[in-house]
Amino acid sequence: MNSLARRRLVTHMSTTCRQFFSAPMPFFSSKHDDGKEETIDFGFKTIEKEKKQSLVREVFDSVAPSYDIMNDLMSGGLHRVWKDRFVEKLAPFPGMKHIDVAGGTGDVACRVLRAIQSAEQLQTQSESTTDMDSDSTVTVFDINAAMLEEGKKKTAGMRGLDASRLSWVEGSAEELPFEDNTFDSYTIAFGIRNVTNRDVALAEAYRVLKPGGRFLCLEFSKVVVPGLRQIYDEYSFRVIPEIGRIVAGDADSYKYLVESIRMFPDQEAFAEMIRDAGFCHVDYENLTAGVTAIHSGLKKAA
């Protein structure tokens, strides 16, 4: 971002903050079909179900070049803390075959690979050998080619990262092009709310995991502190689209992303969806008072 853009951002943020509590929140509503047609939410809009995937792709085509900087600006850097905890909870290990779905620019995948490399180094030291288990692979899977390209560019020159163990695959979370029982672990961060048929995506996650494999999802959720919830809503609907307009030149895409968060099931409802897909030992951990949550489950052992 150049100096002019930064100055404009500061000016607009100041104006927005002054108006933070002085104007009423807009009222959003969504009219749902009575079942005669296949419809689904796209933010607060109701659209034909078959159109959602292409509309989501258009959103991420638009935001891809500024995606990483926008994450920092929107969350005040908190997304880094959330992702660090996400990977810590995953506990990567040497020899791991991992897939990160909706992996976008590779933020989570790089963390997973770094953690695997660290585990390999510890293994080497403890076994007093120079042989390192380097069979581990991390697959970055995303429906959006533009996001994957940004990720490839970002990771190409990363110090200390064995990028040769990253593979980049384009496709739908509802139809993974992998054999049954392929991966030790599956993660999806800030992506499943954009999937059209979440139950199908969860079933696909279960299918490609090995018996005993781990499923982890990091997603925006429902704030559990009432006072904070009101402040969070104000910030989300007023500030985030404005940042998107200034930095990315696209307020509408970020308005959709905020709306999609509000349409996503709460922690308990999503946990039940994961159980319905066949996972056992399902639980969740709230982060930042429920702004985000990590859901996890295991594929039943054979």
Side-chain angles (χ1 to χ4, degrees), residues 192 198-206 215 270 273-274 277 279:
I192 201 161
R198 293 168 192 144
D199 55 340
V200 175
L202 290 170
E204 278 290 270
Y206 192 89
F215 167 87
F270 186 53
M273 290 180 67
I274 298 170
F279 289 97

Side-chain angles (χ1 to χ4, degrees), residues 92-94 113-126:
F93 56 85
L113 182 53
R114 287 189 187 280
I116 290 172
Q117 291 178 199
S118 295
E120 290 172 346
Q121 291 173 356
L122 288 173
Q123 182 185 66
T124 300
Q125 293 168 4
S126 65

